[in-house]
């Protein structure tokens, strides 16, 4: 009986709520001190504990605090923003569903700005302010101090909050990349570049910038005649260098951050001792109005990030820092979002790169869009038989235990922003992969309230961004250009079921002919998300810690072996 109660609750949670409490009951009014009309999105959070501020307790799994979201479009200054029983909530749908009791309550107002796109559309979006696109940490966003109060859904009293605090700027702090670069004892090797992209600025109708951390090989200044291969690391936004910090002295502290610093120190030792090949390694920061990362492809909604990075930024870096500047002398690697980017970069720019090492990539086949089959499922939230239905699970533990459903994750993002503006995972996939809709926002692939899949938008997704479908369609042209270049690893207990799509990709590549694909795949039995492969005698954590040390020599060896006649394969080997 328990499973039927769970299933019934899952279905009811996505249905509109009709009850007498919608017209009455307790409500919450929030005021943002302002001198002009407000444009943005308010997020109200209620939590049972004060271990952290409520604004930091919303999550996509069953452990989430309670949130409510309200769009604000031109609200007169100092007028209250209201959360009532009709306001959309997650995990519980309505304020009327909240149990009476004591809660810690906090509100944040995510400020939107008007973007006048080159398409002629004007849309309101939250710009990145140097924080890596996080609504609860975005500089300039007003918020209220956490307050403990008693809530009763049947009370007629109104709770009032004032958002009289403002999140401070990143500039000048220890999270400012310019400050990090200036203070770093590694600045002999580690450089930081901020780059205005002409292509992105034209698309967005305002100045748009990319940034990159550039790690130069040891001996760069002494070997003035040397030119170097380029390795691009793909990842989410980090203020500092990734995949590990470049640490010049051994940390003496303990704990997870200390271990990461120790890994960075070992990487520094390997980089400067000659144990690693002499290459330029870069990490690109490309946060944008939809997410902390662009997915490094040209997109109808996010903009021409593929062209901006590969045709503007990388040539500028290679020119300034003596890169070889040829396709045989470039490679890329990354995990998760970065894994998809590494693979997509190699596929969309097959002549510009000579190897992609992709770990736990985001969905590379839309038959396995996480745990949703976009081509066969009628709903992204439930699978239905003649007499029963089951919710589609989105996240799991390595042992298979479900911790989130697709329906709840969409509700979570809808609380954070409508029109695909949550700056979270499902919405960035929609922004990157969809055409622009009539209103200028991304065309909706999955209805966040019903789970209905838009088949017309799916056709666009299939033709432009389903990597398995693209490889199948274009293999006669792409196949010869991708030989010896594709390396994938994923855990078969991946938290987000991303292993399913990788298996489908392998099945397709195994079926190729003329040429038969030589892509390599490594699967980690029972391993969760962020598995990067490596020798099985080591733990996943150990292999992840030295991932760069594992792949850089492979890249260098392959570049040398596949370089065209007359290529420079010696000046960088000193």
């Amino acid at each position: 009986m328990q499973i039927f109660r769970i299933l019934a609750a899952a279905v009811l949670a996505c249905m509109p709520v009709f009850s007498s409490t919608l017209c009455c009951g307790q409500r919450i009014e929030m005021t943002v001190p302002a001198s002009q009309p407000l444009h943005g999105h308010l997020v109200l959070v209620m939590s049972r504990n004060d271990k952290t501020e409520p604004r930091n307790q919303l999550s996509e799994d069953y452990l989430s605090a309670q949130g409510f979201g309200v769009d604000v479009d031109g609200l007169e200054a100092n007028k209250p923003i209201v959360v009532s029983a009709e306001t959309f909530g997650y995990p519980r749908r309505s304020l009327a569903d909240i149990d009476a009791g004591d809660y810690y309550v906090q509100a944040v107002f995510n400020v939107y700005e008007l973007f006048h796109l080159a398409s002629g559309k004007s849309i309101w979006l939250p710009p990145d302010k140097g924080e890596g696109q996080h609504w609860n940490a975005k500089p300039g966003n007003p918020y209220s101090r956490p307050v403990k109060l008693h809530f009763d859904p049947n009370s007629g009293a109104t709770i009032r909050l004032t958002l009289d605090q403002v999140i401070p700027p990143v500039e000048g702090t220890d999270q400012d990349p310019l400050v990090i670069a200036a203070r770093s004892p590694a600045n002999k090797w580690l450089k930081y570049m901020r780059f205005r992209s002409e292509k992105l600025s034209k698309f967005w109708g305002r100045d748009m910038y990319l940034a990159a951390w550039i790690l130069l090989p040891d001996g760069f200044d002494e070997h003035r005649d040397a030119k170097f291969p380029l390795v691009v690391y793909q990842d989410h936004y980090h203020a500092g260098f990734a995949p590990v910090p470049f640490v010049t002295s051994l940390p003496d502290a303990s704990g997870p951050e200390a271990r990461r610093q120790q890994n960075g120190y070992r990487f520094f030792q390997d980089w400067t001792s000659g144990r690693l090949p002499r290459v330029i390694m870069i990490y690109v920061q490309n946060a944008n109005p939809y997410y902390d990362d662009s997915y490094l492809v040209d997109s109808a909604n996010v903009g021409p990030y593929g062209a901006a990075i590969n045709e503007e930024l990388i040539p500028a870096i290679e020119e300034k820092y003596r890169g070889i500047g040829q396709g045989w002398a470039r490679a890329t690697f990354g995990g998760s979002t970065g894994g998809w980017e590494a693979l997509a970069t190699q596929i969309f720019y097959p002549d510009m790169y000579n190897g992609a090492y992709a770990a736990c990539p985001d969905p590379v086949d839309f038959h396995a869009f996480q745990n949703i089959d976009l081509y066969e499922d009628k709903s992204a939230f439930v699978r239905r038989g003649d007499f029963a239905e089951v919710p589609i699970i989105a996240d799991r533990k390595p042992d298979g235990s479900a911790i989130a459903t697709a329906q709840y994750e969409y509700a979570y993002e809808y609380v954070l922003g409508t029109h695909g503006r949550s700056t979270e995972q499902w919405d960035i996939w929609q922004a990157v992969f969809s055409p622009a809709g009539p209103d200028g926002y991304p065309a909706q692939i999955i209805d966040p309230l019903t789970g209905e899949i838009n088949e017309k938008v799916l056709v666009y997704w299939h033709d432009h961004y389903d990597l398995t479908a693209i490889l199948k369609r274009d293999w006669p042209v792409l196949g010869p250009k991708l030989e010896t270049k594709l390396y994938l690893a994923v855990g078969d207990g991946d938290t987000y079921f991303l292993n399913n799509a990788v298996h489908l990709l392998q099945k397709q590549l195994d079926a190729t002919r003329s040429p038969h694909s030589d892509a390599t795949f490594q699967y980690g039995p029972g391993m969760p998300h962020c598995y990067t492969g490596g020798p099985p005698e080591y733990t996943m954590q150990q292999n992840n810690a030295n991932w760069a040390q594992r792949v850089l020599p492979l890249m260098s060896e392959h570049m040398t072996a596949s370089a065209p006649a007359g290529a420079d394969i010696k000046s960088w080997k000193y």
Side-chain angles (χ1 to χ4, degrees), residues 255-542:
E257 182 56 31
R259 287 195 292 272
R260 186 169 179 271
Q261 294 292 314
Q262 290 162 2
N263 294 336
Y265 178 63
R266 284 193 290 272
F267 180 62
F268 162 76
Q269 290 179 304
D270 291 337
W271 188 262
T272 57
S273 67
R275 290 193 289 268
L276 290 176
R278 313 290 191 183
V279 300
I280 300 169
M281 185 173 166
I282 71 170
Y283 157 64
V284 179
Q285 295 172 331
N286 52 105
N288 58 80
Y290 283 104
Y291 198 51
D292 79 335
D293 194 282
S294 69
Y295 280 75
L296 275 71
V297 292
D298 293 348
S299 163
N301 299 294
V302 183
Y305 273 90
I309 290 170
N310 290 295
E311 298 172 15
E312 292 181 320
L313 177 63
I314 285 178
I317 291 173
E318 290 177 324
E319 180 179 2
K320 183 173 183 178
Y321 293 107
R322 305 201 310 269
I324 291 173
Q326 298 178 23
W328 69 267
R330 297 191 193 99
T332 182
F333 75 113
S336 191
T337 288
W340 193 94
E341 291 172 333
L343 187 61
T345 294
Q346 183 66 77
I347 292 170
F348 291 135
Y349 296 88
D351 298 318
M352 190 173 174
Y353 288 87
N354 195 14
Y357 295 73
C360 52
D362 283 6
V364 297
D365 187 314
F366 296 153
H367 284 98
F369 186 52
Q370 287 202 185
N371 204 20
I372 303 165
D373 186 339
L374 287 177
Y375 302 112
E376 299 296 334
D377 286 331
K378 300 304 180 184
S379 166
F381 294 167
V382 295
R383 292 196 175 100
R384 296 184 174 94
D386 290 337
F387 301 100
E389 58 187 38
V390 293
I392 294 178
I393 305 304
D395 300 0
R396 61 180 172 179
K397 295 179 180 179
D399 65 3
S401 302
I403 59 175
T405 66
Q407 177 185 335
Y408 268 46
E409 291 190 1
Y410 267 87
Y412 162 70
E413 295 198 10
Y414 196 71
V415 160
L416 297 183
T418 63
H419 297 288
R421 294 177 293 190
S422 70
T423 68
E424 290 290 340
Q425 187 62 74
W426 297 99
D427 276 348
I428 184 57
W429 285 331
Q430 178 174 274
V432 172
F433 301 151
S434 287
D439 58 1
Y441 296 99
Q444 187 169 274
I445 181 70
I446 294 172
D447 188 302
L449 302 182
T450 68
E452 181 181 359
I453 298 169
N454 187 319
E455 294 182 359
K456 291 183 179 179
V457 175
L458 179 57
V459 171
Y460 185 93
W461 279 42
H462 171 274
D463 293 346
H464 291 81
Y465 301 105
D466 185 322
L467 299 185
T468 300
I470 290 169
L471 287 172
K472 180 179 181 180
R473 180 192 67 202
D474 298 339
W475 189 253
V477 175
L478 287 176
K481 297 182 178 185
L482 297 178
E483 289 296 270
T484 71
K485 294 183 179 182
L486 302 182
Y487 308 85
L488 290 94
V490 67
D492 261 331
D494 188 273
T495 309
Y496 310 108
F497 298 88
L498 299 174
N499 52 307
N500 294 341
V502 174
H503 280 285
L504 292 174
L505 173 63
Q506 181 177 9
K507 183 178 180 180
Q508 172 56 39
L509 291 180
D510 285 349
T512 55
R513 298 292 183 270
S514 302
H516 175 67
S517 173
D518 61 359
T520 66
F521 294 81
Q522 183 177 5
Y523 299 97
M527 293 294 103
H529 193 53
C530 294
Y531 174 80
T532 61
E537 61 267 27
Y538 297 106
T539 66
M540 173 176 157
Q541 291 73 23
Q542 289 172 322

Side-chain angles (χ1 to χ4, degrees), residues 216-217 219-229 280 316-325 574:
L216 300 177
F220 177 86
D221 292 330
E222 293 78 12
H223 295 264
R224 294 287 182 176
D225 293 331
K227 292 189 174 182
F228 303 93
I280 300 169
I317 291 173
E318 290 177 324
E319 180 179 2
K320 183 173 183 178
Y321 293 107
R322 305 201 310 269
I324 291 173
Y574 49 80

